[in-house]
Amino acid sequence: MNYLAHIYLSGDNDLVTIGNFIADGIKGKSYKEYPKDIQIGILLHRNIDTFTDAHEVVRKSTKRLHKKYGHYSGIIVDILYDHFLAKNWSNYCDVPLNSYVEHFYGLLETYYELLPLRIQKMMPYMMTGNWLVNYASIDGISKALEGMDRRTKNRSGMNEAVNELELFYSDFETEFSTFFEELILFSKMKLEEHSINLK
């Protein structure tokens, strides 16, 4: 899953949310250097990624893209799923997306010193471009995919995946909805487990 989903699945604990958000930059057992709640967020992120990669519905989505995008298909699906989460946000959260995201940006500023350097450098772009809110539009997702393609030095062709999104829009949306309901339950279970085990 991509940024917005990871943030949402963290629940209402600010430090768990930060941990989940920074987890890709925390390797191996170095997560143990962080406060307990951040550790929970990092472990939850890893659980979510493992669950997502193995899920048959997600694999159905990635298979649709695999011929053209190869091993980048999973990254593309993560971004497309964030689109459907943002677009259908009111189905999952009572707090409006704009307000929710503003609160999250505030967390990044509050806990700036805890963020890995890569996240610190990315923060201004994320906030100025309001990535998380803009995921709700096709144009916003198109820009996200273009950004990811630039990171691969234009080798991935991910910038073109908006075409598949539009072509198979209802298929992707149905797959996201089915999968995300299961992921929400799984994430709640893992949050409880880690909260008990790391006390």
Side-chain angles (χ1 to χ4, degrees):
M1 300 303 289
N2 204 44
Y3 297 129
L4 185 59
H6 276 292
I7 295 162
Y8 171 77
L9 293 166
S10 301
D12 56 8
N13 182 309
D14 292 345
L15 284 174
V16 171
T17 302
I18 290 293
N20 198 338
F21 182 68
I22 67 173
D24 278 335
I26 312 299
K27 304 304 179 189
K29 293 185 177 180
S30 59
Y31 75 92
K32 293 183 177 180
E33 298 165 12
Y34 288 87
K36 292 293 184 189
D37 285 340
I38 289 185
Q39 289 185 36
I40 290 170
I42 293 167
L43 292 173
L44 176 64
H45 182 109
R46 294 175 181 180
N47 296 145
I48 289 168
D49 282 355
T50 301
F51 183 81
T52 300
D53 291 344
H55 201 285
E56 60 182 18
V57 173
V58 178
R59 288 185 172 182
K60 190 175 179 182
S61 291
T62 55
K63 189 176 180 182
R64 194 175 289 119
L65 302 170
H66 198 267
K67 185 175 181 181
K68 184 172 180 182
Y69 302 103
H71 68 274
Y72 295 109
S73 301
I75 298 168
I76 294 168
V77 168
D78 284 346
I79 294 170
L80 300 189
Y81 278 13
D82 254 14
H83 164 65
F84 294 112
L85 175 56
K87 178 198 161 197
N88 299 302
W89 183 256
S90 60
N91 293 344
Y92 301 101
C93 186
D94 293 332
V95 179
L97 182 59
N98 275 303
S99 303
Y100 186 93
V101 169
E102 277 301 312
H103 174 73
F104 174 69
Y105 292 156
L107 293 185
L108 293 183
E109 291 174 337
T110 300
Y111 297 106
Y112 184 82
E113 297 302 323
L114 289 172
L115 306 177
L117 183 59
R118 181 180 68 86
I119 301 289
Q120 291 179 348
K121 288 182 175 179
M122 181 185 78
M123 247 180 77
Y125 300 101
M126 174 181 247
M127 294 166 74
T128 304
N130 207 6
W131 294 357
L132 302 177
V133 170
N134 288 330
Y135 284 158
S137 70
I138 298 283
D139 185 56
I141 284 299
S142 182
K143 286 176 181 170
L145 290 166
E146 286 168 9
M148 292 300 293
D149 186 53
R150 282 194 298 275
R151 281 202 218 168
T152 69
K153 298 181 179 173
N154 304 315
R155 286 193 300 266
S156 67
M158 280 192 276
N159 56 307
E160 296 178 11
V162 72
N163 297 323
E164 282 79 13
L165 172 61
E166 293 178 321
L167 190 60
F168 301 104
Y169 196 87
S170 61
D171 295 310
F172 281 123
E173 185 162 26
T174 299
E175 286 155 11
F176 163 76
S177 300
T178 302
F179 165 68
F180 202 62
E181 291 296 338
E182 292 185 31
L183 182 57
I184 289 169
L185 295 174
F186 172 81
S187 299
K188 285 178 179 174
M189 178 186 74
K190 286 297 176 183
L191 259 177
E192 288 174 13
E193 280 182 19
H194 294 313
S195 297
I196 293 166
N197 293 338
L198 288 177
K199 275 188 177 176

